[in-house]
Amino acid sequence: MTLGWYLAVSAIIFCIGVGGVLVRRNPLVILLCLELMLNAGNLALVTFARMHGGEAGQIFALIVMVVAACEVTVGLGLIVAISRRNLPVDVDKLHELNG
Amino acid sequence: MSEVLFFLAAIAAITGAIAVVTLKNPFYAVLALVCHLVALAALFLLLRAEFVAAAQVVVYAGAVMVLYIFVVAYVGETEEIASGNALRFVGPLFAVALAVELCIALLGSALAGINSQGAPYKRGFGTPEQIGRLFLTDYLFVFEVASLLLLVAAVGAVVLARRRRGLDDEGSLARLIAEPRPAYTGTIAEGAGVRKVLQALKDADGGVIELAFPEDLEKDPVPTVPESSDADGEQA
């Protein structure tokens, strides 16, 4: 199994995530799609680590997981705060900072 | 054998990703993401990243997805309004264009490493021992910064998601009592506040612990404290 296949899967998953972020309006689902993109990046990093025979890429992937967990924590906190204030959970309607 | 496993895992991962984007119910989207993460962990195992695969399953599919499930259950079913703007059509188009571009970059690069089986397998590659040694020697600073980041994120999430109503003035207390919510839920401060008011009512009224809910709760954003036991209530 050549490593190009793994990179192709990574690219496809990343593009699916991009499409989801652009199309979906629910911030929860947008966070899920961000996870998809980060995971595609992780897959590429682990593939490159395998390609070069060093673990640096795997370390990078683990750090990306940590950052993703932080992002999810803060994002879900924001969503909980939004729904507590009875604001619509919809990114098209939350445009107060839009000027 | 590894080809079969790769295609099974890759198809599962891509199917899960498509399901995350297309499913209307956020709860099912989270479950699809769990399937996607497990399939991705299988891909990591095929790439001989054993520790990363284990961390993926334990941290992602275990902890983070439980957090998602809780928030989906808290926020509840939100009907998704289809965005009427052009993004609805431009978004998938952009994604397909990006996929084509990435495939061109992959296929046209002709890098020797991409179409190889990778470096020869060393004994102990990707094991927890090796990862741990690297984390505590070469990447110690990264490790410490990541732990600090986790701490900051935890504190930030608590600050963001906490309830901002204080118990300073009488109005907030009245709002808290009149709020139709199950008993024994909410924060400790609210519990103490409600109990304080209940005690006050008990003292004033001679042992009757029944609170009235104003009929026009929807019309009146700040209802007043109900006087006495002239109506029924569930706030015990």
Side-chain angles (χ1 to χ4, degrees):
Chain A
M1 207 69 228
T2 61
L3 294 176
W5 287 94
Y6 291 92
L7 292 178
V9 171
S10 163
I12 291 171
I13 294 173
F14 186 85
C15 295
I16 292 170
V18 169
V21 168
L22 288 178
V23 171
R24 296 302 293 264
R25 302 268 62 84
N26 191 340
L28 265 166
V29 183
I30 288 180
L31 275 181
L32 290 178
C33 294
L34 283 179
E35 296 286 321
L36 282 184
M37 291 159 72
L38 286 169
N39 276 308
N42 267 353
L43 182 57
L45 285 171
V46 173
T47 307
F48 289 133
R50 176 87 188 89
M51 195 181 281
H52 294 292
E55 280 99 344
Q58 297 185 12
I59 301 277
F60 207 146
L62 286 169
I63 297 297
V64 169
M65 271 187 209
V66 169
V67 174
C70 294
E71 166 236 322
V72 164
T73 316
V74 175
L76 291 181
L78 279 174
I79 291 174
V80 168
I82 287 170
S83 78
R84 275 230 171 115
R85 286 158 182 259
N86 293 324
L87 294 171
V89 187
D90 187 334
V91 290
D92 271 351
K93 292 181 183 163
L94 298 169
H95 49 64
E96 284 173 30
L97 291 179
N98 208 4
Chain B
M1 186 62 192
S2 85
E3 282 85 358
V4 177
L5 281 179
F6 169 79
F7 278 110
L8 279 179
I11 288 170
I14 293 174
T15 312
I18 291 173
V20 168
V21 176
T22 51
L23 283 177
K24 290 294 171 200
N25 194 336
F27 187 75
Y28 293 144
V30 173
L31 292 186
L33 190 65
V34 172
C35 295
H36 166 81
L37 291 175
V38 172
L40 217 57
L43 284 181
F44 288 165
L45 275 183
L46 285 175
L47 288 168
R48 300 191 182 275
E50 296 141 23
F51 184 71
V52 180
Q56 174 97 357
V57 171
V58 173
V59 175
Y60 253 126
V64 174
M65 289 304 118
V66 168
L67 198 63
Y68 266 111
I69 293 282
F70 273 129
V71 173
V72 168
Y74 181 83
V75 172
E77 186 72 21
T78 55
E79 77 279 15
E80 174 136 351
I81 302 105
S83 55
N85 48 17
L87 203 56
R88 187 169 171 73
F89 305 102
V90 175
L93 215 65
F94 179 74
V96 169
L98 190 64
V100 169
E101 183 191 345
L102 280 175
C103 284
I104 288 173
L106 269 178
L107 298 175
S109 62
L111 285 176
I114 286 181
N115 284 321
S116 74
Q117 298 284 345
Y121 176 62
K122 287 182 313 213
R123 203 177 153 72
F125 176 76
T127 52
E129 181 195 359
Q130 196 71 19
I131 299 282
R133 179 176 294 133
L134 277 178
F135 258 136
L136 291 180
T137 54
D138 287 357
Y139 301 98
L140 182 61
F141 179 70
V142 180
F143 186 62
E144 298 292 340
V145 169
S147 57
L148 193 66
L149 184 65
L150 278 174
L151 177 68
V152 170
V155 174
V158 170
V159 169
L160 277 173
R162 69 150 198 254
R163 198 173 269 269
R164 282 187 176 71
R165 293 171 187 164
L167 288 173
D168 306 319
D169 51 343
E170 287 300 314
S172 67
L173 264 183
R175 217 178 305 131
L176 281 178
I177 293 173
E179 203 166 60
R181 213 178 44 186
Y184 304 117
T185 60
T187 64
I188 294 174
E190 288 171 14
V194 168
R195 195 173 300 148
K196 203 167 66 184
V197 173
L198 282 178
Q199 187 63 42
L201 283 175
K202 194 175 176 182
D203 291 341
D205 225 349
V208 180
I209 313 179
E210 278 182 350
L211 292 182
F213 286 140
E215 295 296 323
D216 49 354
L217 192 60
E218 286 78 19
K219 283 174 278 181
D220 190 5
V222 184
T224 55
V225 177
E227 285 301 320
S228 63
S229 63
D230 54 352
D232 54 348
E234 60 168 352
Q235 193 81 292

